[in-house]
Each structure stands twice: as C-alpha cells, then as structure tokens.
Amino acid sequence: MTIHPQALPLDQVQVLAGFWHDRMTVNREQTLPAVYDKLKSTGRLDCWRRDVADEDLHRHIFWDSDTAKWIEAAGYALVGRRDAALERQIDEVVGWMVDAQGDDGYLNSYFLMARPEARWTNLRDNHELYCAGHLMEAAIAYHQATGKRTLLDALTRYADHIGATFGTGPGQKRGYCGHPEIELALVRLAEATGTSRYLDLASYFVDERGRSPNYYDLEAEARGENPRDFWARTYRYCQSHQPVREQTVATGHSVRAAYLYSAMVDLARRTRDDGLADACRALWQDLTTRQMYVIGGMGPSDTHEGFTFAYDLPNETAYGETCSAIALAYFAQRMFELDGQGATIDVLERAFYNNIIAGVSAEGRHFFQCNPLTAYPYYSPYVRWNGIIADRHYRRVDWIDCACCPTNLVRLVASVNGYLYAATADTVYVNLFASSRARLRVGGAAVTLEQLTNYPWEGAVHLEVRASDPVAFTLAVRVPGWCRAFKLTVNGAAVDAVLVDGYARLTRRWTPGDVIDLDLDMPIERMRAHPEIRQAAGQIALQRGPVVYAVEEIDNGPRLANLVLPASARLTAGRDPALLGGLGVLTGEALRIEPTAWPGGIYQPETQLKTAARTQPLKAIPYAFWANREPGEMRVWLRDA
Amino acid sequence: MTIHPQALPLDQVQVLAGFWHDRMTVNREQTLPAVYDKLKSTGRLDCWRRDVADEDLHRHIFWDSDTAKWIEAAGYALVGRRDAALERQIDEVVGWMVDAQGDDGYLNSYFLMARPEARWTNLRDNHELYCAGHLMEAAIAYHQATGKRTLLDALTRYADHIGATFGTGPGQKRGYCGHPEIELALVRLAEATGTSRYLDLASYFVDERGRSPNYYDLEAEARGENPRDFWARTYRYCQSHQPVREQTVATGHSVRAAYLYSAMVDLARRTRDDGLADACRALWQDLTTRQMYVIGGMGPSDTHEGFTFAYDLPNETAYGETCSAIALAYFAQRMFELDGQGATIDVLERAFYNNIIAGVSAEGRHFFQCNPLTAYPYYSPYVRWNGIIADRHYRRVDWIDCACCPTNLVRLVASVNGYLYAATADTVYVNLFASSRARLRVGGAAVTLEQLTNYPWEGAVHLEVRASDPVAFTLAVRVPGWCRAFKLTVNGAAVDAVLVDGYARLTRRWTPGDVIDLDLDMPIERMRAHPEIRQAAGQIALQRGPVVYAVEEIDNGPRLANLVLPASARLTAGRDPALLGGLGVLTGEALRIEPTAWPGGIYQPETQLKTAARTQPLKAIPYAFWANREPGEMRVWLRDA
C-alpha cells in the first residue's frame, strides 16, 4: 500500500529569513491590510449587514469569495502570531455573516439579501457553491489559527444544508458548481471536522459533473432559457462537457480546471481511487507538458481566461492569470501528495518563484491579473485605442474589480510555509528551500529540522537535525529537475545519494546535531521551448535555479525585439543590492541588431539597408519583479543568434 | 494652378488579358451571382418589399449598403456588356425601393419599415447616412452603365431630403454619420448630376465632424442616454473626436477612417482647399508609413476593427479587414488625383495585389474578412476553445453576416479598369500594368493606348499609341517604387527618361504606331520592416514586383516558425502552371532549425538539446492566393539567419 506524504501544517513550519520571509512579511504587513481596506471601501464587508438599509449597499454574486479569501489569509498569518486588531476586523464580519445566515443554514450575502428567489437556480453561472467553498476554507483557517468556532460552526451548518440539497437521493438536486472550489473545500472540511459525509459530498460533486443529461441544460430549461444561449458556448468552459474521469486534456477556464483537478487528486488519494488518480495524472501530464508557460503559468486566452490547445502559448497577448498559477500550485502540491514525485514540486516551484510572485508588487499593494511574457507600455490586448490605456497588462493596479487575484495571492503567500516540508511516518521531505524551522514527529520521535539557505540566488542548502535522542528516519531532500549536478554531504562527508523520484533519500539513524549540506549546481541556463511552440521559435529564456529572468527597457533600452543573445554571449549571475531589496540579476552582453539608418517609409528591401549588430550591456532581472520600476518594454523570450 | 490628373472612367478602359482580366472574369461570373444569391437568401432584397407581411421579413440597419454595393458592382460589370437577366434582378429590387421611398424622399428599408420612429435619432450608430451613400454610388454606377434613371432619381430626391434635414441653417440638424461614406458619395453624385449643392452638403458633413459640442453627445442626451455609455468609449472610433482638419493620426475604425479621408481628398481637390489637402497629406503619411501592413492592409485590432498605434502590426492576430485594404486603395487613388505622385499608386498596387485579392478565393465564391500575416489552422483570435473553430481566420467562408467585405470586393474588382489610367488635357498616366486598351482625348485628339504585359509575373510592359494623326502629349509611365532599375525604349531606341514624381515622362509628338517598351527590373526582394515593428524583428518578407509572397504548410511542412531563410539562400522566381491557373512562385532552399530529438517536457536547457539546421526546399506563393488549398499554417514574415 502506498504511503502518501502529507505536507506539514503551518503551525509546524516557520520561515525565518530570505526570499520567502521577505515576501511573507510584505504580505502580512502590506498586502493583507491593503486587501482589507479595499474589501471595506468597495462594500464587500458591509454587504453582509442587515442593520444597513439595502439601498445603501451593493452586493455581488461572488463577493463572498473575496472576503472569505482574506479571512483565510488572515487565518494563515495568525498562526503562531495572534493579532487582536486583525481578529476584531474578522470577528465583526463573522458576526454579520452569522446574523445573516438562514435558519436552514444557507449562507450567501447576495442570494440571501439581494435575490433570494434565485437561490440554487443557476449553478452554472452563479458561483453559490464556489462562495460556499471559499467560506469553508476561511472558517477552517481561522479556526485552526485562533480556536474560534463561530464561523466554522456556521459553515458546517451550511455544508449540511448543501448536503441535504444536493445529491442523488429523492428530492435532491443533481447539481454541481460552474466554478469548482467547494469540492476541495469539502475535503478540507471533512478533515478539519473529522466528518466523512463531507468527503462523500465532495465525491458526489466531482463524479456528478459532466454526466448526461447535463444538469446545466436542465436548470437552464427550468429557468425558461435555451441552454444553447450559454455565453461560453460550451461546458468545456467549466469542465462539465464529460464526466471528469473521461477527461484527459486540460480545457476551459484554467482556474476552474485546476481547482477541480486539485479536488480530484484529494479524493483519489483519500478514497484510494485508482481510476480517478489516473485521470488526474493524465490531466497533469497534458497541462504541464503541453499548456504551461515557462514562468509557471497557464491559460493563454483572455476570452475565457483559459486554455486553448497544445503548445499555444502566446507571449504578448498572454492572459496567464495570477489565480491560474496559484491554482496550478495547488494542483502540483496535491499531485506530490498523491505520487510523491519531486517533478511535481518543480512545477510548483516554477509557479511560486515566477508567475505567482509577479502577481504582486514588491511593495505589496499592487497586483497583476494577467502575466504576459512580452509587454509593451502602449500595447496589450487590453489597450483601448482611444488613448486611455487599460494598463493592467503592463502596470500593476491597486485593485481589480474581479478581485480573485489579489485575494488568492494574499492567502497563498501567507501559507507558503505549508509547502516547504512533507512527511510520512518515517520520511521527511524537504520540498522547498528556505531558511526555516520545521517541527514534526517522524520515526516515532519529535524532530526539529533547521534549514539555512540563500536560495533561490545560491544553490547551497544547509540542514540540521535536532532531536532529544538519535532517531531513525529517511530524509528525502528534493533535487530540483533544473539541477543537473549536486553535492551532498552529511557531517561534511560526501554522500553518494541515489535519486529516487527526484529526491536524494538519506535513510539512517540521525544523531542530534547532524548536518546535511546540499550544493545544487546553479548555472545560467538558456531554456528552449518545445519545437511546436511557435511563439518561442528562435528564442531562449534565461533561467537560473527556479528563477526565470526577464529584460526590461529601463535596463536595456527600447525595442527589446531587436536584442539578440547569441550562444556565445557570456552572462554572469550576481546580486544587485540596490534592486528592490537585493535581487539576483544576470548581466552580460547582447547584440542590438538594427539598421544604422532608416531611409524612410515603413518597409525597405534589405539591399537598401545597412544593418549593424552593436554590442550592448544586458541586464536581466527575475521575471517576478518586473514592472516595479518605470513602465516600459519587457521580454522573457529573447532572440538568439 | 495645379492640373490634377483624373482617372479614366470605366467605359474608356478595357482589361483584355492577364491577372486582372482573370480576376474580373471570376468576379463577374462567380462572385457577382454568389453575392446576389446570398442577398436573396438572407432576406436583404425582400426586406424592401411592402407586398410581403412584415413578420415574414428581417430587416437590419445596414443591409441597404450590401444591396447597394451589389448594384454598384453590377453597374461596373455592365459597362460595355449589358446583361438582361442581371438587369432584371436589379430592376426588381429598384422597383421595391422606389415603392418604399417616403413622400419626403427618405429611403432606408430599416427605418422606413421596421423603426420609423427612430429615423435620424442616432447618427452615431445607425448607419442611415452610410446606407444613403452606398445607394447613391449604386444609382450612379447603374445609371452610367445602363442609362436607367429610376434609382438615380430616387437618390437625388433622397439627397435633397438629406440636404434639407442636415446643415447649419435654422431647424436643421447639425449631424453627420458615424460611418463616413455619404461624403464621398455626394461628391460623386454632384459630378454625375452636375449639381453643386451635393458638393456643399459633402463639405458640410466633413467640416461639421468633430466640432464642439459634439453632435453625438447631444443626440445621445436627446435619446435620454448618457453619451459616456457609447460602447466604443471614444469618438476616435468614428473620427469625430476633433475637427477633421486638426487630425494628423489615422485612428479608430479603419474603414470609416479611409472613407472619410477619401472624401476629404475629393473635396480638397475640387474646392482647391489647401488646408484640407494638408490634413489629407498628414493622415496619408501617418497611415502609410506607420500603420500599414506589408500586404497593403491596415487596422490590426479586432476590438474596433481599426488602428492601434504607430508600428503596432501584429501578424497572427491581425484583423486587417478586406474592406480596410479596399478603403486604403480608395484613399490612395484620390491622393494620386490630388498630387499626382506615383508613390500613392505604389500603395494602391500593394493593396490590390495582396490584401484585397486575398479577400476572395481563387474560385470567387469564398471570402476573408480578416487577413492575418501568420495563420495557424487551429489558432486565431477567433478560435473558440470549445473545439468549434470559428475558421474565418484561416479559411474563407461563403458569406459573412456583416457582409461589407464580399460586397466591397465585388464592386472593387468589377471596377479595376478604372484604376489603370489617368489623364489631364495633355498627359496620359499609365498607373497599373495590365494588358488593356484605353481610349481617351489627349492633346486635343482621340488616342487609343494599347498595353501588353505579363505583369505582375514579369516586368516587361509594351505600349502602343494609336491615333488617326500624330498628336503631341506626355505619356507618364509609372515606375513603381519597388523598382530600382528599368529600361525604357521608344520604337526600340533607348530613352533616358527622367523620373518625375515616380513617372517616366515622355513628352513628344506621337505618331500612330509608336511603341514604348518599359522593362522593370523585378528581383526577389527580402523586405524588412521598420525597426520599431517588433512583430517583424529578425524576419524578412519576400516580395517580387508588387507581389508579397507567403509560405504555406502544404508546400513547406508544418512548424513554419522553425524555417529560417538566411541571406545566402538562393531563390528563383518562376510560374507554377499547375497552381491555381498559373501563379508566380518563388522556390529555393530554407533551413529548418529544430532539435534532432525532444527529451520530453515542455522546456529544456539548450545544453540538453542537439539542434540541427536541415536544408529543405522552400516554395512561396503570392499571399493573395493563400488558403486556396488544404488548410494549414501560413507565414509572410520568415525568420532570417
């Protein structure tokens, strides 16, 4: 029987310094309050109030999810760091929520107070179960951090109401949500409360999805609508075009997709459902080897915020929603917990260090929804040609009306410590590298693992085992897929570690004070894309360790399309202490290939031009930190010779 | 005083053989009846009928323009070639139109019969004056070909009604159409009827445009709407954001733009208005040196079918509407008539041989609305990710709901003979090269000019002067801008012709039977785009003569992005007799640069790959004829070394 590794929970892991410590600090001190201010000023909190006249309030079908994700983020941030002021903000809202909750347990600010008659009439579009799922995740996080049960109790009542409403029994609706989310939330609720019926409900939602006759057809007809009038034209949009076990290609809205797939993995692991697990593996394979950006994002098309087809990864018009990269990380983490493959953490790490962190400014209060790989200050698919630039494509904004990305970011970054380590009864997995401390029981004993590293700028990782007595267990240290040479020592003595599933497994009786040193070779790599990816043909992306680099106009001048980085170009990795707190940078030389003069007009025969290849300095910075200075061009894929 | 050249009218020029003869024949025999069939089957003709119950009819605000353009096309085709069956089709519709016309002269099928209360309430959006303009052009063409006055009389009544309704006088509306068209039509009506008040009305429409307060604001308020709710968000969309004389940048919907600019040139020339002429020159310069595709198209953005900003010319997502290229040709022709510069005919010729002819299939019954410069059979901005491909981006369709392009194509191709020659009292301009015969009065005598050529596949042009007696005039033979070396002989003797404004001017007393031979050097050119055009960086386009070439998957294999054409690549021009009736083609060798094997995954470090540059045959065909065989990839811009 497979023993699945399980991530160590937040209260067992502290991030102490370095990249993630900095990001988590900004997240807690800047992003979390910024999100609260916006929730408040936009009416997302007051919409719960029954003591304010309705006409003074706005409500929206998925505002509950924004508030929920902020509470969830706060819950993570409060682990081991209680904060009375923050808790007062939350408790006030929770009070309103509980006051508003229906006698039957129903809990949704919009459908309780704005359109009660429409409750459960349009699962396809209305996000009701989606909002319920986010409220469940919020309730669990807040309860786990504070022990406060009010919200959790409200959500179990709501979950019970949902369980009574939906299912295959007589009188039940055979529906499921257009936007998956409740499925993974119910799995968490089952574990948080030890209530297996929530797991069953999650299984029901997952397996009912996409059956014939399609529920969305039936409910549309019940509303007197023609199902063919569905704006998205296809149930692929919400992964409901066929039963999930038959799906092999990642399709539709990419956040919905990866939330669904995450729940599928959760269930496959917990119910030991091999068929479901195989569907997950097929979808994972398709997504990560045919539809993933080099920055760890996905979903190129803005028309439906989602997937198009294999190897279609446009750069300048990329949608690449921040939420998508986060959802990809959720999926990756669960695939790791299913199969224990380090390669899935490679994907998670690619998303974490690149697309996800790009979603928030270095100062923590501005956000990208879209994450293009080529940007022009006056161009984006969102440009309005009227001179008003919808600038969210090349400049972060302090809020987004559809606020899924800022709220997803704040909860993800607040919980990064939950992704560092995992364990079984006899094995500790070191998945991410960050100066940190983990406390856990392994090999039957309490063990503390200390990690010290300057990752991702340097490849050296120092680990120390602390325990009261010697203890036998396996330390499985991930060797990232990008790394092709590494050294491993235990107490200074080289170890010839065999890589198993992407991990250097060290099985021994550990003595307190044992030190493990991993030295990952971290050269600058010129990455190439699969030859079917036409948008990267003749181009390379610079990557070092897990970090993908970008060039910006402010460092390299305009017309970045005219820069060429031949194979002979020497590049050096270093730190720029003046750059946004000290980022790793790559410097060297590139060629700028342009005509020495332009004779006029817009097209010219080559024979009429003299073209020069001039050497110029090149500076590339981590993609995640682009657009933190003056707006300008940006490029990830650079022309090679 | 400048003497402006004027194009020779259709009845003075016959195209006798070759490229345009073939296209015009297909247009007359296939496209014209295909358009009629669609007008009929979609209800665009019956919508005029009062003898059919309203509930059995559909009507649409701009259907009149489609029918009008078909009548106009038929009018051109009927010049010197009457056709009783075709005329019966037209006369039937004209009968319905006249029956429907209001007592006040108003003539619009939609606003007469579907929404009479909305007449003239929304000039911004409703296309009423636009439809009126197209009906005027139809009436003029049909009258000129057949002498039949019914429609022309109806349209002069309508023009008089419009003249009474709009203007600066007391009780008149100070409006103008959201979609320019009536302005240039009124100029034609003024000339066709010798009625100067139509010219004044055109001037009014042009100069009223964009004044403050903006008429569209006022009429929106009168409808009880907020002008800010205009879907397009800006009056740049319809070139009404400022007075036209102040406009220097081509902006907004590109067909609207070029129709407006065309009328501005018409008026500038006829009213000797230097200020207006300078505005036209500035707009021409901006459009053709900063916003024009190498295929002679314009308007990259599909969101508003129009311009974005200087040097923004995306290939795969190009909108590049067929109508836009036609409108560009209209503008070009008028700029020639204003300033007599051959360079404006270079632009016209680029549009004619490339973007415009690409709009229709070789067999004449399928149409492109969009004209991308890179195409993927499973990708376009119009792809629906649901598996249903909205394939109009890579495959022509037999009709387009918004039928502006098929109807514009059929009228343009039917009138190509009107673009070949122009004249003043003492000069004949040979603008386009095609085997043809022109009859005109020049130098006070009747002269016939015969032209024989295999252009655009060969650069040799043979001209012969016929007259009853010797006659003195200047023969101004255009030497295209793409040509950098040419030979000119008169009666076999070399002539050292001086180029003036792009023309070899031969002034002499011509003797009947004099022959002129022009031999244009026509090498294959590797064209480069302006260095600000990022979408063409590191790429070349193949052009020979006026023809831009494209490579297709059917000839060159898939993954065209991986083909490289180094400067050393030898290419040969030839004819392929088996290809769509015998097209010019370019053949040679290219490099296909791809990894010899792909190790798996989606991104790989260059060090892990072995890349091979394999030589393969290359075949490029004229862009205008792409997508006439099996669907597949297509590319105009090819990577160079």
Side-chain angles (χ1 to χ4, degrees):
Chain A
M1 198 174 79
T2 320
I3 304 297
H4 302 287
Q6 180 120 18
L8 292 194
L10 303 188
D11 60 352
Q12 294 179 222
V13 184
Q14 276 177 283
V15 176
L16 300 170
F19 185 97
W20 288 113
H21 181 261
D22 293 349
R23 292 292 94 211
M24 292 173 80
T25 303
V26 168
N27 190 61
R28 190 179 61 247
E29 295 179 354
Q30 301 296 330
T31 316
L32 197 54
V35 167
Y36 173 76
D37 291 346
K38 289 292 186 182
L39 293 177
K40 191 157 179 60
S41 66
T42 58
R44 280 167 166 82
L45 305 181
D46 285 339
C47 70
W48 283 100
R49 298 174 69 167
R50 286 191 175 281
D51 62 333
V52 177
D54 269 2
E55 53 271 30
D56 294 335
L57 300 175
H58 292 286
R59 294 191 169 94
H60 186 276
I61 55 167
F62 53 71
W63 273 7
D64 293 2
S65 66
D66 298 327
T67 302
K69 286 193 280 182
W70 163 71
I71 295 175
E72 184 186 344
Y76 300 149
L78 288 166
V79 171
R81 184 191 291 263
R82 299 290 292 270
D83 178 332
L86 177 57
E87 291 178 38
R88 265 196 307 277
Q89 290 173 345
I90 295 169
D91 292 340
E92 181 180 42
V93 182
V94 168
W96 294 331
M97 289 176 172
V98 172
D99 283 349
Q101 187 166 28
D103 292 338
D104 56 4
Y106 187 85
L107 187 62
N108 181 299
S109 66
Y110 185 83
F111 290 98
L112 276 168
M113 294 180 271
R115 289 189 57 210
E117 77 289 355
R119 187 193 293 193
W120 305 139
T121 58
N122 185 351
L123 297 186
R124 188 190 69 194
D125 302 333
N126 282 352
H127 292 71
E128 274 169 289
L129 292 167
Y130 165 84
C131 286
H134 277 302
L135 284 169
M136 289 171 196
E137 292 200 270
I140 295 161
Y142 193 55
H143 171 254
Q144 287 177 345
T146 64
K148 296 179 184 176
R149 295 200 57 93
T150 313
L151 189 58
L152 185 62
D153 289 344
L155 267 298
T156 57
R157 282 201 303 280
Y158 191 17
D160 292 336
H161 173 66
I162 292 168
T165 305
F166 295 97
T168 57
Q172 287 185 304
K173 294 175 191 292
R174 295 191 64 157
Y176 44 87
C177 195
H179 196 316
E181 153 64 23
I182 193 169
E183 299 82 356
L184 69 85
L186 283 166
V187 173
R188 296 186 68 179
L189 191 65
E191 295 199 342
T193 62
T195 312
S196 66
R197 68 176 178 278
Y198 299 143
L199 207 62
D200 299 338
L201 185 55
S203 286
Y204 157 77
F205 280 135
V206 163
D207 271 322
E208 189 64 25
R209 193 168 205 89
R211 293 205 183 200
S212 285
N214 192 293
Y215 183 77
Y216 301 147
D217 283 348
L218 305 179
E219 65 164 16
E221 282 157 11
R223 291 193 305 272
E225 294 171 13
N226 184 343
R228 301 275 149 260
D229 294 340
F230 179 35
W231 73 270
R233 293 181 33 191
T234 164
Y235 294 141
R236 284 175 190 264
Y237 174 68
C238 40
Q239 298 79 39
S240 313
H241 54 298
Q242 62 185 167
V244 299
R245 290 163 192 272
E246 297 169 19
Q247 298 186 24
T248 55
V249 173
T251 191
H253 186 283
S254 54
V255 177
R256 296 176 194 231
Y259 282 10
L260 171 65
Y261 307 155
S262 295
M264 287 164 63
V265 189
D266 280 340
L267 289 168
R269 176 159 71 89
R270 283 166 181 77
T271 63
R272 306 189 182 284
D273 184 333
D274 289 342
L276 194 58
D278 283 344
C280 295
R281 291 178 189 118
L283 290 163
W284 173 261
Q285 188 69 10
D286 177 66
L287 200 171
T288 58
T289 68
R290 287 189 280 275
Q291 304 202 67
M292 184 180 71
Y293 280 104
V294 72
I295 56 171
M298 60 186 189
S301 171
D302 71 320
T303 61
H304 62 288
E305 305 181 295
F307 300 108
T308 53
F309 58 91
Y311 305 118
D312 180 40
L313 294 161
N315 296 309
E316 192 166 312
T317 62
Y319 190 71
E321 193 182 347
T322 303
C323 281
S324 278
I326 293 171
L328 175 60
Y330 291 160
F331 186 19
Q333 173 77 342
R334 286 162 170 87
M335 284 303 294
F336 162 74
E337 290 180 335
L338 177 69
D339 287 337
Q341 297 292 321
T344 63
I345 302 298
D346 290 346
V347 171
L348 182 147
E349 194 181 42
R350 188 179 285 281
F352 265 42
Y353 280 106
N354 301 292
N355 196 333
I356 292 176
I357 289 304
V360 59
S361 61
E363 43 76 281
R365 289 177 169 263
H366 290 79
F367 308 96
F368 269 136
Q369 180 169 21
C370 310
N371 295 277
L373 287 86
T374 300
Y376 265 71
Y378 299 103
Y379 175 73
S380 87
Y382 311 100
V383 158
R384 295 297 173 264
W385 29 274
N386 56 1
I388 303 165
I389 309 291
D391 58 2
R392 61 180 179 159
H393 212 64
Y394 72 88
R395 206 186 307 207
R396 294 178 186 84
V397 290
D398 67 357
W399 192 242
I400 300 161
D401 280 347
C402 175
C404 51
C405 292
T407 53
N408 243 341
L409 260 168
V410 72
R411 71 175 180 144
L412 186 281
V413 178
S415 62
V416 162
N417 45 333
Y419 294 85
L420 267 53
Y421 301 93
T424 63
D426 60 7
T427 304
V428 187
Y429 291 83
V430 180
N431 273 345
L432 297 187
F433 305 114
S435 294
S436 56
R437 181 182 300 124
R439 294 192 179 82
L440 72 159
R441 282 197 71 83
V442 65
V447 172
T448 295
L449 208 58
E450 300 261 355
Q451 187 185 164
L452 197 65
T453 181
N454 284 314
Y455 198 86
W457 316 126
E458 296 170 24
V461 177
H462 177 82
L463 292 160
E464 192 167 334
V465 178
R466 302 214 180 133
S468 50
D469 294 296
V471 50
F473 65 89
T474 299
L475 185 68
V477 185
R478 178 172 153 265
V479 177
W482 56 257
C483 177
R484 291 195 309 282
F486 65 95
K487 281 184 215 124
L488 191 63
T489 63
V490 175
N491 298 327
V495 178
D496 194 11
V498 183
L499 282 189
V500 181
D501 296 340
Y503 291 86
R505 294 179 68 92
L506 303 171
T507 303
R508 62 162 71 197
R509 190 172 178 79
W510 296 96
T511 303
D514 277 353
V515 295
I516 303 99
D517 280 282
L518 173 67
D519 198 359
L520 301 165
D521 202 16
M522 198 183 262
I524 300 166
E525 302 276 16
R526 294 164 59 99
M527 301 299 290
R528 288 205 178 271
H530 189 285
E532 293 278 354
I533 303 178
R534 63 198 183 280
Q535 294 98 345
Q539 295 163 86
I540 54 105
L542 296 172
Q543 182 175 337
R544 181 171 179 264
V547 177
V548 174
Y549 289 76
V551 296
E552 284 194 290
E553 183 173 348
I554 192 173
D555 298 315
N556 301 282
R559 301 186 301 281
L560 297 176
N562 297 342
L563 286 194
V564 168
L565 207 62
S568 59
R570 290 253 185 91
L571 293 171
T572 310
R575 290 286 282 277
D576 181 345
L579 182 62
L580 302 168
L583 298 179
V585 294
L586 309 182
T587 52
E589 283 185 341
L591 296 176
R592 178 176 281 274
I593 301 185
E594 292 182 338
T596 52
W598 185 253
I602 185 164
Y603 304 103
Q604 289 289 348
E606 197 168 55
T607 50
Q608 300 306 101
L609 297 171
K610 221 161 95 181
T611 297
R614 292 200 182 85
T615 298
Q616 71 158 63
L618 181 92
K619 179 175 183 177
I621 72 160
Y623 172 80
F625 292 88
W626 84 276
N628 272 290
R629 296 170 293 166
E630 269 176 46
E633 296 182 25
M634 180 278 294
R635 243 181 123 93
V636 169
W637 291 102
L638 302 173
R639 287 169 54 202
D640 68 341
Chain B
M1 198 175 79
T2 320
I3 304 296
H4 302 288
Q6 180 119 19
L8 291 194
L10 303 187
D11 61 352
Q12 294 179 222
V13 184
Q14 275 177 284
V15 176
L16 300 170
F19 186 97
W20 289 113
H21 181 261
D22 294 350
R23 292 292 94 212
M24 292 174 80
T25 303
V26 168
N27 189 62
R28 191 179 60 247
E29 294 179 355
Q30 301 296 330
T31 315
L32 196 56
V35 167
Y36 173 77
D37 291 346
K38 290 292 185 182
L39 294 177
K40 190 157 180 62
S41 65
T42 58
R44 280 166 165 83
L45 304 181
D46 286 339
C47 70
W48 282 100
R49 298 174 69 167
R50 287 191 176 279
D51 62 332
V52 176
D54 269 2
E55 53 270 30
D56 294 333
L57 300 175
H58 292 286
R59 295 193 169 93
H60 186 276
I61 55 166
F62 53 71
W63 273 7
D64 292 2
S65 66
D66 298 327
T67 302
K69 286 192 280 181
W70 163 70
I71 296 175
E72 184 186 344
Y76 300 149
L78 288 166
V79 171
R81 185 192 290 264
R82 299 289 293 271
D83 177 332
L86 176 56
E87 291 178 37
R88 266 197 305 276
Q89 290 173 345
I90 295 169
D91 293 338
E92 182 180 42
V93 182
V94 168
W96 293 332
M97 289 177 172
V98 172
D99 284 349
Q101 188 167 25
D103 292 338
D104 57 3
Y106 187 85
L107 187 61
N108 180 299
S109 66
Y110 185 82
F111 290 98
L112 275 168
M113 295 180 269
R115 289 188 58 211
E117 78 289 356
R119 187 193 293 190
W120 304 139
T121 59
N122 185 349
L123 297 187
R124 188 190 69 194
D125 301 334
N126 282 351
H127 292 71
E128 275 169 290
L129 293 168
Y130 165 84
C131 286
H134 277 303
L135 284 169
M136 289 171 196
E137 292 200 89
I140 295 162
Y142 193 55
H143 172 254
Q144 286 177 344
T146 65
K148 296 180 184 176
R149 294 201 58 94
T150 313
L151 189 59
L152 186 61
D153 289 343
L155 267 297
T156 55
R157 282 202 302 281
Y158 191 18
D160 291 336
H161 172 66
I162 291 167
T165 305
F166 295 95
T168 55
Q172 288 185 303
K173 295 175 190 289
R174 296 191 60 158
Y176 44 87
C177 194
H179 196 316
E181 152 64 23
I182 193 169
E183 299 83 355
L184 69 85
L186 283 166
V187 174
R188 297 186 67 178
L189 191 65
E191 296 200 342
T193 62
T195 314
S196 66
R197 68 174 179 277
Y198 300 144
L199 208 63
D200 299 339
L201 185 56
S203 286
Y204 157 76
F205 281 135
V206 162
D207 271 321
E208 188 64 24
R209 195 168 204 91
R211 294 206 182 198
S212 286
N214 193 293
Y215 183 78
Y216 300 147
D217 283 348
L218 305 179
E219 65 163 18
E221 283 157 11
R223 292 193 305 272
E225 293 171 14
N226 184 343
R228 301 275 148 259
D229 294 340
F230 179 36
W231 73 270
R233 294 180 33 190
T234 164
Y235 295 141
R236 283 175 190 265
Y237 175 68
C238 39
Q239 299 79 39
S240 314
H241 54 300
Q242 61 185 171
V244 300
R245 289 163 193 270
E246 297 170 19
Q247 298 187 24
T248 55
V249 174
T251 190
H253 186 283
S254 55
V255 177
R256 296 176 194 231
Y259 282 9
L260 171 65
Y261 308 155
S262 295
M264 288 165 63
V265 189
D266 279 340
L267 290 168
R269 177 159 71 89
R270 284 167 179 76
T271 63
R272 305 190 183 283
D273 183 333
D274 290 343
L276 194 57
D278 284 344
C280 295
R281 291 179 189 116
L283 289 163
W284 173 261
Q285 187 70 9
D286 177 67
L287 200 172
T288 59
T289 68
R290 287 190 280 275
Q291 304 203 66
M292 184 180 72
Y293 280 104
V294 71
I295 56 171
M298 60 185 189
S301 170
D302 72 320
T303 61
H304 62 287
E305 305 180 297
F307 299 108
T308 53
F309 58 91
Y311 306 118
D312 180 40
L313 294 162
N315 297 308
E316 192 166 312
T317 62
Y319 190 71
E321 194 182 345
T322 303
C323 281
S324 278
I326 293 171
L328 175 60
Y330 291 160
F331 185 19
Q333 173 77 344
R334 286 163 170 86
M335 284 302 293
F336 163 74
E337 290 180 334
L338 177 69
D339 286 337
Q341 297 292 320
T344 63
I345 302 297
D346 290 347
V347 170
L348 183 147
E349 193 180 43
R350 189 180 284 282
F352 265 43
Y353 280 107
N354 301 293
N355 196 332
I356 292 175
I357 289 304
V360 60
S361 61
E363 43 76 282
R365 289 178 167 262
H366 291 79
F367 308 96
F368 270 136
Q369 179 169 21
C370 311
N371 295 279
L373 286 85
T374 300
Y376 265 70
Y378 298 104
Y379 176 73
S380 88
Y382 312 99
V383 158
R384 296 298 174 262
W385 30 274
N386 57 0
I388 304 165
I389 309 290
D391 58 4
R392 62 179 179 157
H393 212 64
Y394 72 88
R395 208 186 304 207
R396 294 179 186 84
V397 291
D398 67 357
W399 191 241
I400 300 160
D401 280 347
C402 175
C404 51
C405 293
T407 53
N408 243 341
L409 260 168
V410 73
R411 71 174 178 145
L412 186 281
V413 178
S415 61
V416 163
N417 44 332
Y419 294 86
L420 268 54
Y421 302 92
T424 63
D426 60 7
T427 305
V428 186
Y429 291 83
V430 181
N431 272 345
L432 297 186
F433 305 114
S435 294
S436 56
R437 181 180 301 125
R439 294 191 180 82
L440 72 158
R441 283 197 70 81
V442 66
V447 173
T448 295
L449 210 58
E450 300 262 354
Q451 185 184 165
L452 197 65
T453 180
N454 284 314
Y455 198 87
W457 316 125
E458 296 169 24
V461 177
H462 177 82
L463 291 160
E464 193 167 332
V465 177
R466 301 215 181 135
S468 50
D469 293 296
V471 50
F473 63 90
T474 299
L475 185 67
V477 185
R478 178 172 152 265
V479 176
W482 56 256
C483 178
R484 290 194 309 284
F486 65 95
K487 280 183 216 125
L488 191 62
T489 62
V490 176
N491 299 326
V495 177
D496 196 10
V498 182
L499 282 189
V500 180
D501 296 339
Y503 291 85
R505 294 179 70 92
L506 303 171
T507 302
R508 62 162 70 196
R509 189 170 179 82
W510 296 95
T511 304
D514 277 353
V515 295
I516 303 99
D517 280 282
L518 173 67
D519 198 359
L520 300 165
D521 202 15
M522 198 184 262
I524 300 166
E525 301 277 15
R526 293 164 59 99
M527 301 298 290
R528 288 206 177 268
H530 191 284
E532 293 279 354
I533 303 178
R534 62 198 184 280
Q535 295 99 344
Q539 295 163 86
I540 54 104
L542 297 172
Q543 183 175 336
R544 181 171 179 265
V547 177
V548 175
Y549 288 76
V551 296
E552 284 195 289
E553 182 173 349
I554 192 172
D555 298 315
N556 300 283
R559 300 186 301 281
L560 296 177
N562 297 342
L563 286 195
V564 169
L565 206 62
S568 59
R570 292 253 185 89
L571 294 171
T572 310
R575 290 286 282 277
D576 181 345
L579 182 63
L580 302 169
L583 298 179
V585 295
L586 309 182
T587 52
E589 284 186 342
L591 296 176
R592 177 176 282 274
I593 302 185
E594 292 181 338
T596 53
W598 185 253
I602 185 163
Y603 304 104
Q604 290 288 347
E606 197 168 54
T607 51
Q608 301 305 101
L609 298 171
K610 222 161 94 181
T611 298
R614 292 199 183 86
T615 298
Q616 71 157 61
L618 181 91
K619 179 175 183 177
I621 72 161
Y623 172 81
F625 292 89
W626 84 277
N628 272 291
R629 296 170 292 166
E630 270 176 47
E633 296 182 24
M634 180 277 294
R635 246 180 121 94
V636 170
W637 291 102
L638 302 173
R639 287 168 53 203
D640 68 341

